[in-house]
Amino acid sequence: MAKPTVYICFLTGLAVFISCWEAASADPHKITPFLSVQEDYSDNILFTENNEEEDFITTGTAGVVYTNRTEVVNARLTGSLLHRMYQDNDQLDDTDGRIFGSINYQATERFSWGASAGYRKDTRREVDTTSTGLILAGDRKKADGSLSASYMVSEITQASLSLDVMDEEIDDPTTDEDNASIQAGISLSRNLSERFANTVGLLNFRYMHYTSEDVGTITTRDYTSDVYQLYGGFSRNITELTSVYLQVGASYTDTSEEARVSGVTRSDTEDDSWGGVLV
């Protein structure tokens, strides 16, 4: 797990960089504090199949948002703390936090770039149920960041690059899970309106490297996956409110998995497969 200090330092530097644009901007920066209180009831606060226990949960959230927008810069920095209190089970009370910063800069008429980074600590096992439907195995610490750049090669052709990294640690009473990923992408788009009205051609190449380590009391499992994707298609505006978007292509995945018991490798498997991409 990458140390949070690295990401906090990055965000601090990003905030300093953002503030440097204030002198050149006619629009003042904006700082907006926020505060909220939420009351919930759960009939199974421990998410167990047996011995279910109910309780009322009060959640208070406080934070601040800093924004700075000009003709060439769109920047945002957000920090928040969340404290959760149980009415009858105060041993479960905990405080979580999140910080996130992003900036997009239009360097020239043709070239623009962006960057973002975030760090979060979350002890809410149900935090992802609305998006994935899954219950987390334990407390989570997650850091992520991204870089992007876009360049207008011509009046009708644009090229883009992107890089995304993620590092996640989930602590459970019986196992510790460490996940990390890096994704890189190249995209090309070209306005085809000369031949096809209101149509843009699209071409993308993406690569993802994913690793996961699950450390149990006795057994440790390592999983690695490399994914390569090449796909293309088009988008077309039919009306001001209606559009059609389609991309298809191929995907190649190379995976390996290793299981170790008390430090000794017991199984080692590798697999590769081809698939399709439909977006």
Side-chain angles (χ1 to χ4, degrees), residues 68-81:
N68 186 19
R69 295 182 180 179
T70 70
E71 293 182 357
V72 296
V73 176
N74 184 1
R76 183 183 182 93
L77 183 64
T78 304
S80 62
L81 289 175

Side-chain angles (χ1 to χ4, degrees), residues 36-53:
S36 67
V37 178
Q38 178 178 322
E39 187 73 21
D40 296 298
Y41 167 78
S42 174
D43 59 1
N44 187 7
I45 60 173
L46 300 178
F47 303 99
T48 57
E49 295 183 1
N50 302 315
N51 300 322
E52 298 180 1
E53 190 168 352

Side-chain angles (χ1 to χ4, degrees), residues 5-233:
T5 305
V6 176
Y7 294 88
I8 294 174
C9 290
F10 178 85
L11 290 171
T12 302
L14 187 61
V16 173
F17 181 80
I18 291 170
S19 64
C20 292
W21 295 102
E22 295 172 17
S25 172
D27 299 328
H29 64 276
K30 185 177 181 181
I31 297 177
T32 307
F34 60 89
L35 179 67
S36 67
V37 178
Q38 178 178 322
E39 187 73 21
D40 296 298
Y41 167 78
S42 174
D43 59 1
N44 187 7
I45 60 173
L46 300 178
F47 303 99
T48 57
E49 295 183 1
N50 302 315
N51 300 322
E52 298 180 1
E53 190 168 352
E54 61 182 5
D55 206 344
F56 286 92
I57 308 166
T58 302
T59 304
T61 304
V64 63
V65 179
Y66 169 83
T67 58
N68 186 19
R69 295 182 180 179
T70 70
E71 293 182 357
V72 296
V73 176
N74 184 1
R76 183 183 182 93
L77 183 64
T78 304
S80 62
L81 289 175
L82 180 151
H83 184 67
R84 190 168 58 257
M85 297 175 291
Y86 291 78
Q87 179 174 300
D88 299 324
N89 296 270
D90 55 7
Q91 75 277 8
L92 298 177
D93 293 358
D94 213 328
T95 300
D96 298 327
R98 182 174 186 261
I99 185 170
F100 177 82
S102 65
I103 182 172
N104 291 290
Y105 178 52
Q106 188 71 41
T108 67
E109 291 184 358
R110 289 179 175 269
F111 177 70
S112 64
W113 61 267
S116 68
Y119 175 79
R120 63 184 287 190
K121 170 186 175 292
D122 214 322
T123 57
R124 298 172 296 169
R125 296 182 58 191
E126 76 283 4
V127 67
D128 287 341
T129 53
T130 56
S131 58
T132 66
L134 301 177
I135 298 294
L136 293 179
D139 299 347
R140 176 169 65 180
K141 298 176 183 177
K142 183 178 181 180
D144 52 46
S146 68
L147 293 172
S148 63
S150 179
Y151 182 72
M152 292 296 300
V153 181
S154 68
E155 293 182 355
I156 60 174
T157 304
Q158 179 176 330
S160 301
L161 300 174
S162 64
L163 178 67
D164 301 278
V165 294
M166 183 276 294
D167 195 274
E168 178 184 54
E169 182 181 284
I170 300 176
D171 295 327
D172 180 80
T174 57
T175 62
D176 290 330
E177 183 179 337
D178 228 336
N179 304 315
S181 69
I182 180 170
Q183 299 185 56
I186 302 174
S187 301
L188 295 174
S189 64
R190 184 177 178 87
N191 193 323
L192 305 177
S193 296
E194 289 185 357
R195 295 188 177 183
F196 308 98
N198 303 318
T199 302
V200 176
L202 307 169
L203 181 63
N204 301 274
F205 173 76
R206 294 194 63 82
Y207 166 72
M208 183 185 76
H209 177 72
Y210 175 81
T211 61
S212 178
E213 182 182 46
D214 191 352
V215 181
T217 306
I218 299 176
T219 304
T220 298
R221 298 184 182 276
D222 293 320
Y223 175 84
T224 302
S225 177
D226 292 286
V227 181
Y228 305 83
Q229 295 180 332
L230 179 64
Y231 53 96

